[in-house]
Amino acid sequence: MLLMLSCHCGMQAQSDNPRVAEIRKMYAKAKQDISDAQKLAKEGQPANETVVNSNYMLPGSGPGKCTTHYYYTLEEDENLGRYFFNPYFITNSYNVAAHKYYQEFLYDKEGNLAFYYEKNNQSGKDEETRLYFADENQKAVDGIVYEINTRSRTIEPPFALRIGQELMTAFHNLMNREF
């Protein structure tokens, strides 16, 4: 009975949070935009996607592979008088030994991380973490307005924010030539 009550209260808190609702709409739009772009790519049109593959050797763990997908829009900077690529969604999949990881990073219009998702099999069973981040006008512990974990938290929010920022910086260095 207590479990059902805590699940109901958690779901109620989630549905009552306007930031979570906003992020879910952003996520659904991003996924639809990606799907539409992939359909256009099958017809030969550019999909506004960049894929980076890395193959490496980890001491004590063996070979590893990381695949990062950047999905972006083309925008104009009127002050600079040039166009630039602006990522809105990044996926990252990699392995460490036999453990597989998959991450998603959803950014708001200002380029701030709004949502982080991770799925891994680190414990031998699939684990998932979802972190919903506050916008710049909200105050929240570790920047989180809501989180969902299937087991225990698999990543601390400041680390998710740091990885999200590093991926954004790498993209800008690669695509916008910010050296």
Side-chain angles (χ1 to χ4, degrees):
M1 182 67 131
L2 285 174
L3 179 62
M4 288 176 47
L5 181 59
S6 68
C7 288
H8 176 72
C9 289
M11 291 176 74
Q12 184 66 30
Q14 178 182 357
S15 63
D16 288 346
N17 189 317
R19 177 65 175 165
V20 171
E22 174 189 3
I23 291 170
R24 288 197 164 168
K25 286 179 187 173
M26 288 171 33
Y27 185 87
K29 182 178 180 342
K31 287 296 212 174
Q32 185 62 52
D33 290 348
I34 291 167
S35 176
D36 293 345
Q38 289 173 341
K39 288 176 188 171
L40 291 174
K42 288 179 182 176
E43 297 171 5
Q45 295 184 29
N48 286 351
E49 173 187 14
T50 296
V51 181
V52 177
N53 289 306
S54 303
N55 296 300
Y56 48 87
M57 182 63 73
L58 290 172
S61 295
K65 180 176 183 171
C66 179
T67 302
T68 305
H69 291 257
Y70 293 96
Y71 302 95
Y72 51 89
T73 59
L74 181 63
E75 298 182 21
E76 183 178 10
D77 186 334
E78 294 176 9
N79 295 328
L80 295 176
R82 70 178 181 101
Y83 288 95
F84 66 97
F85 300 105
N86 189 27
Y88 61 91
F89 197 81
I90 300 172
T91 66
N92 199 27
S93 58
Y94 62 96
N95 71 292
V96 176
H99 303 294
K100 295 181 180 181
Y101 297 84
Y102 173 77
Q103 300 168 314
E104 293 180 346
F105 301 84
L106 175 68
Y107 299 88
D108 62 19
K109 290 179 183 177
E110 289 77 36
N112 299 312
L113 186 62
F115 177 72
Y116 170 83
Y117 169 79
E118 179 181 315
K119 182 176 182 176
N120 70 65
N121 65 347
Q122 186 173 332
S123 67
K125 297 181 180 179
D126 284 344
E127 297 182 31
E128 293 184 356
T129 296
R130 290 172 178 83
L131 302 175
Y132 295 82
F133 290 96
D135 65 15
E136 58 193 31
N137 299 321
Q138 294 174 307
K139 293 189 184 230
V141 177
D142 286 336
I144 300 283
V145 292
Y146 193 76
E147 80 177 274
I148 302 170
N149 302 300
T150 56
R151 297 204 184 288
S152 61
R153 182 186 280 174
T154 58
I155 190 169
E156 293 300 315
F159 191 57
L161 286 166
R162 189 181 96 203
I163 294 171
Q165 184 57 49
E166 289 172 353
L167 287 169
M168 180 72 80
T169 299
F171 175 85
H172 286 298
N173 287 336
L174 177 68
M175 297 298 292
N176 292 320
R177 312 293 190 259
E178 293 179 5
F179 300 106

